[in-house]
Amino acid sequence: MGYDAKNPMKDRITDIGPRDYKEFLPPVIKRNFGKWLYHEILEPGVLVHVSESGEKVFTLRVGAARVMSATHIREICEIADKHCDGYVRWTTRNNIEFMVDDEAKVKPLMEDLEKRKFAGGSLKFPRGGTGAGLTNIVHTQGYLHCHTAAIDASGVVKAVMDELYEDFGKMRLPAHVRISLACCLNMCGAVHCSDIAILGVHRKPPMVDHDNLANMCEIPLAVASCPTGAIKATTVDDKKSVVVNNDKCMYCGNCFTMCPAMPLADAEGSGVAILVGGKLSNRITAPMFSKVVVPFLPNEAPRWPQTVEAVKKILNTYAKDAKKYERLGDWAARIGWERFFEKTDLPFTEHLIDDYRFAYTTWRTSTQFKF
Amino acid sequence: MAKRKTPILDELEKGKWPSFVSDIRQEAEWRNKTDVDLQTPKEVCDDLLDLLELSLKDQECHWKHGGVAGVFGYGGGVIGRYSDRPEEFPAVKDFHTLRVNQPSSYFYKTDFLRQMCELWERRGSGITNMHGSTGDIILLGTTTPQLEEIFWELTHNLKQDLGGSGSNLRSPNCCIGKSRCEFACYDTQEACRNFTMEYQDELHRPSFGYKFKMKFDGCPNGCVASIARSDMSVIGTWKDDIRIDQEAVRAYVGGEFKPDGGAHAGRDWGPFDIVKEVIDLCPTRCMGWNGNKLGINNRECNRCMHCINTMPRALRIGTETGASILFGAKAPILEGAQLSTLTIPFMPMEEPFSELKELIEKIWDWWSEEGRSRERLGELMQRKGFAKFLEVCEVKADPRMIKEPRSNPYIFWKEADIPGGWERDIKDFRKRHQK
């Protein structure tokens, strides 16, 4: 039984897809599928959904690190077995949801979750992430697993969430706030429509490993990869290679994605940019992109104090100044970006003025500004 | 136990938010104690943490660029990963990722999760992402010889397949849908599963010029972010009237029900004011309140969800439901970030979803033919123009597809549409006009 390396195609199973979700739905969910009437947040991290049938499902939402061990998943299973008949789910923002079909089961589950801590002292299952508050940060791999990272991911997220922890379990903000992190411009966690986005960026053009480039890369692909046409084929010491016009480079790293002989990350050049005001819900206003408000902050492990400080400043100014239901981007649009920089006390520099493809659409072409 | 001092990681164990460092350490401890016949190095978690400490210290990551790894017959689902300091951190010398296609909406039974843990601890690092950005369960870190073993056990014992990577269809994803949401305008979970199963070949074997993502949102709230993150965004909507329970509206006004499902309970915003909080915030101003009755001019409603979100016990989505289909979202690389563009204002979403499948196949044919290497659909749409895209989709232009008409007059006409065509006689012109 099992895989036979001598006969790899024997009894091979392919193209079966994921397990059918219907096998994994808790009975109360299955019985009321498509019959839900309304929901209510009973307290931070506790939801009730009420069905046409009169049945209710109570959900406890808790935060989690996206990086998760099998040991931790086993503990989640143990809790789900004890309280939830062996069912559990995750959310799109890396939260865990434990569901029970009876209000009497909520309190014991809540108490069980609250007391569990990691050996280092952090909470295993902080409750929250609902309503007009902060939910979990979605993010990318960072140093733990990625080769193009400009910054770490899990560490920055931990540092930011530790500082904003109160807002995870409160619902004091004017509207939802979604923070996301991508550790390079590839944005495998697309952060470009987040209320607050933490983005890893570079500031140095790639180094070119002339000795190895021809063996490691397809030169035409490397040349074609550059969106500003800054890369040209050349010969260096009789070796085929490329040359980068540094003045044209915008450090996007797309050449490195195509050609491993063109690395660009380093301690001084790479760091954090902060973008704000994006959203992807259609509620009240249309979805919109996040805008760069901090061009660069250093990559400061283990606690990224400047990044944390900037995020806190933005969040707290928004919390104080915005109207109920107003998303961060709607607030900034209403007060005007000149006021945004004034109120948040973030410096405005020329780096924040667009000069890429659709730059002109973001320049002010009116006299309607505020002094 | 860690072989080296890790002051940076130690700091990341402090604070209240769940510490991934503490979690990896407990897995390291488990590996050191277990009597399971581990098929991967015992020290894999220790070396992973030590390598991470070094990366955080250097502010440079220590993974090599790429490296080929995979299972027979598939061109995706496995991402090769090798450390660039293999001598010092031998247990993570090769540390490949497997993407495991998640079941719709991330519901699980614990027996499945336990089976997965058992497999992954024995044949991998025991470290996962629950879940990756696209939606897959990510199994982080195993060696090359284990890949086929894991695939065999996944498919035979867990009845579970890998997800997409590279220039494939990526694992489709969906919101929680009708399972537990009153706003779901169609069955997102079934749609997600149905498309995943229909396009298994595209998911496992790279046949495109670049990645292709599809995501299924049940309503315009967009909880799975399809409008920003997928080449095809399927967003639930309805055509008829919002259902109103006037008595429940009055209960909100009277303070009996908490607005926004209690989402604002953390601060005292004063008593609920339906005019200020709903009527005046309606983006099309299509609502009215006379002190007793709520009126909605549904023809003018653009279904932004605000009133329904704010008074979920009083207002419900309509009953003639389906989805709007949008195309072309992507992150900034290369031409700048794009949101998806509305292409089909309304399509019913019933199994077997033939209409949408016909459409997507037309689009894939065009993209395969016209798309450059590593050109996302949204970039091709920009390069060739939306009018061309509509022609490919065999869909008529509709003002719903734009924010405003063009402000420049540079219209590409088709020769066939112009009386007399484009071929003219210059000599004839000269007869009427001297040089």
Side-chain angles (χ1 to χ4, degrees), chain B residues 153-170:
Chain B
E153 287 189 28
L154 264 182
T155 50
H156 286 78
N157 304 342
L158 278 84
K159 316 282 179 220
Q160 171 64 53
D161 210 334
L162 296 179
S165 67
S167 293
N168 292 23
L169 172 65
R170 302 299 183 86

Side-chain angles (χ1 to χ4, degrees), chain B residues 14-82:
Chain B
K14 297 172 188 165
K16 283 189 173 164
W17 190 251
S19 167
F20 69 100
V21 175
S22 300
D23 193 10
I24 300 175
R25 281 188 173 153
Q26 69 173 0
E27 190 66 24
E29 206 172 307
W30 180 89
R31 290 185 82 82
N32 284 315
K33 282 187 194 154
T34 186
D35 47 18
V36 169
D37 57 333
L38 299 175
Q39 301 296 300
T40 45
K42 210 180 201 36
E43 305 76 23
V44 59
C45 291
D46 300 300
D47 275 11
L48 177 66
L49 286 170
D50 288 347
L51 186 70
L52 179 61
E53 175 81 18
L54 180 69
S55 298
L56 288 163
K57 185 170 145 274
D58 290 352
Q59 297 178 47
E60 291 174 354
C61 59
H62 283 289
W63 299 104
K64 281 187 189 173
H65 190 303
V68 178
V71 296
F72 290 119
Y74 278 14
V78 180
I79 294 105
R81 184 65 70 229
Y82 299 87

